[in-house]
Amino acid sequence: MSDRLRLAVPNKGRLVEPTLALLHDAGLVFEEHDRSLVARVLNFDLDILFVRTGDVIEFVGDGVADLGITGIDLLSETGAALPRLRDLGYGACRLTAAVPTDTPYQAVADLAGLRVATAHPNTTRRFFAERAIPVDVVSISGAVEVAPRLGLAEAIVDLVSTGSTLVMNGLRPIGDVLVSEAVLVANPGAAARRSAELAAIDTMLSAVLAARGRKYLMMNAPADQLAELETLLPALESPTVIPLAHDGMIAIHSVVGADEVWGLLPRLKSAGASGILVLPIEKIVP
């Protein structure tokens, strides 16, 4: 057991489902249960530790876990100096300064001399101190958005995903303090001592993340249209071109960005492509 890597992940909250999906998509075979603290990966020397969101960084920092998945906002708040191996592309949110809609404040500089309520006091203090804006940071643990209504503060700094909670509470944003998403972090000692094993995990996850933003295109086309079609296909390196049984015809295979596909298809057809297939990609390893 001592030779197995340990990965700490949150057991509750917005990062749980996308984290589990990423690990399963990476090919790691394990079963998670609501009351289980540890899941043993069957096809890799890895144990997954399900811990409280706020404990992931502590587990990794203390060496209880070799790796952890947490949010940039939590890293910032704790000030932990953990190596960030990779941004994971989910759990996106912003730590945002907001004020009641009927107040005159338009920018964070307008909060000078006022009270700012937040559940992220360290990050908030650092943000305003770096800009020489004197504020009184009021630390509260929950329901930050109601602080102005209760008279606890004139403004708040809180995590925002869509902004709907701010609107529901009569607040409007005036500036971002921090942009956050899920990240893979490592214990400094493990990063030095077990770098190859940690790199293997990072490769598994990065291959899935790279594939999520791409689609695989296959099409037939006249060979004399290849030059024009190549200009339309931003492949990873260059498209694969295969001669077909019929003279003068080729098959072209390429990888393109998922958000480019629907704008690209009409242009490919106009350039002579036919029989176009759009396929999902499971993993990409550069």
Side-chain angles (χ1 to χ4, degrees):
M1 289 292 291
S2 61
D3 291 334
R4 294 174 65 85
L5 286 175
R6 286 167 292 187
L7 168 67
V9 303
N11 62 2
K12 291 181 180 179
R14 59 190 175 86
L15 296 184
V16 174
E17 289 190 10
T19 294
L20 293 176
L22 175 61
L23 297 177
H24 284 302
D25 289 348
L28 298 175
V29 179
F30 63 94
E31 294 184 4
E32 68 276 2
H33 302 284
D34 290 341
R35 297 185 179 181
S36 175
L37 299 179
V38 181
R40 184 181 179 89
V41 175
L42 302 180
N43 59 339
F44 197 85
D45 286 337
L46 175 70
D47 290 328
I48 300 172
L49 312 181
F50 294 95
V51 303
R52 293 189 307 173
T53 302
D55 290 340
V56 170
I57 293 172
E58 183 176 348
F59 271 51
V60 176
D62 291 345
V64 176
D66 304 290
L67 294 162
I69 291 178
T70 187
I72 293 173
D73 58 304
L74 294 173
L75 275 179
S76 173
E77 184 60 22
T78 61
L82 299 179
R84 274 172 56 177
L85 302 187
R86 186 163 301 276
D87 295 347
L88 299 178
Y90 60 84
C93 61
R94 295 167 288 119
L95 196 59
T96 297
V99 296
T101 54
D102 58 356
T103 58
Y105 315 119
Q106 298 297 321
V108 292
D110 297 336
L111 302 182
L114 302 180
R115 297 170 298 170
V116 179
T118 184
H120 296 75
N122 296 327
T123 302
T124 300
R125 287 192 186 95
R126 188 162 56 248
F127 173 83
F128 284 101
E130 289 171 352
R131 288 156 183 78
I133 303 172
V135 298
D136 180 14
V137 175
V138 179
S139 179
I140 57 180
S141 58
V144 174
E145 63 274 2
V146 302
R149 193 187 317 160
L150 297 177
L152 295 175
E154 288 74 39
I156 69 166
V157 168
D158 200 15
L159 284 178
V160 174
S161 295
T162 64
S164 60
T165 302
L166 293 182
V167 174
M168 290 172 55
N169 286 276
L171 301 169
R172 57 181 169 81
I174 59 172
D176 288 341
V177 171
L178 181 76
V179 177
S180 180
E181 67 176 281
V183 291
L184 178 68
V185 297
N187 172 268
R193 187 178 65 257
R194 310 184 71 172
S195 59
E197 295 164 275
L198 269 57
I201 295 292
D202 181 44
T203 298
M204 290 180 191
L205 302 186
S206 65
V208 173
L209 296 173
R212 285 179 174 177
R214 307 281 177 78
K215 295 293 184 182
Y216 193 78
L217 291 188
M218 302 169 61
M219 69 201 76
N220 296 337
D224 58 10
Q225 293 297 107
L226 176 59
E228 181 177 354
L229 288 166
E230 277 191 303
T231 65
L232 299 175
L233 294 171
L236 291 177
E237 293 182 359
S238 63
T240 299
V241 179
I242 305 169
L244 295 179
H246 294 170
D247 288 343
M249 293 295 294
I250 56 175
I252 303 173
H253 296 193
S254 184
V255 175
V256 301
D259 56 354
E260 300 171 357
V261 169
W262 295 112
L264 186 59
L265 293 183
R267 298 163 64 196
L268 293 172
K269 291 186 67 175
S270 296
S274 62
I276 303 173
L277 297 181
V278 181
L279 304 174
I281 302 175
E282 184 175 319
K283 297 178 181 67
I284 296 176
V285 181

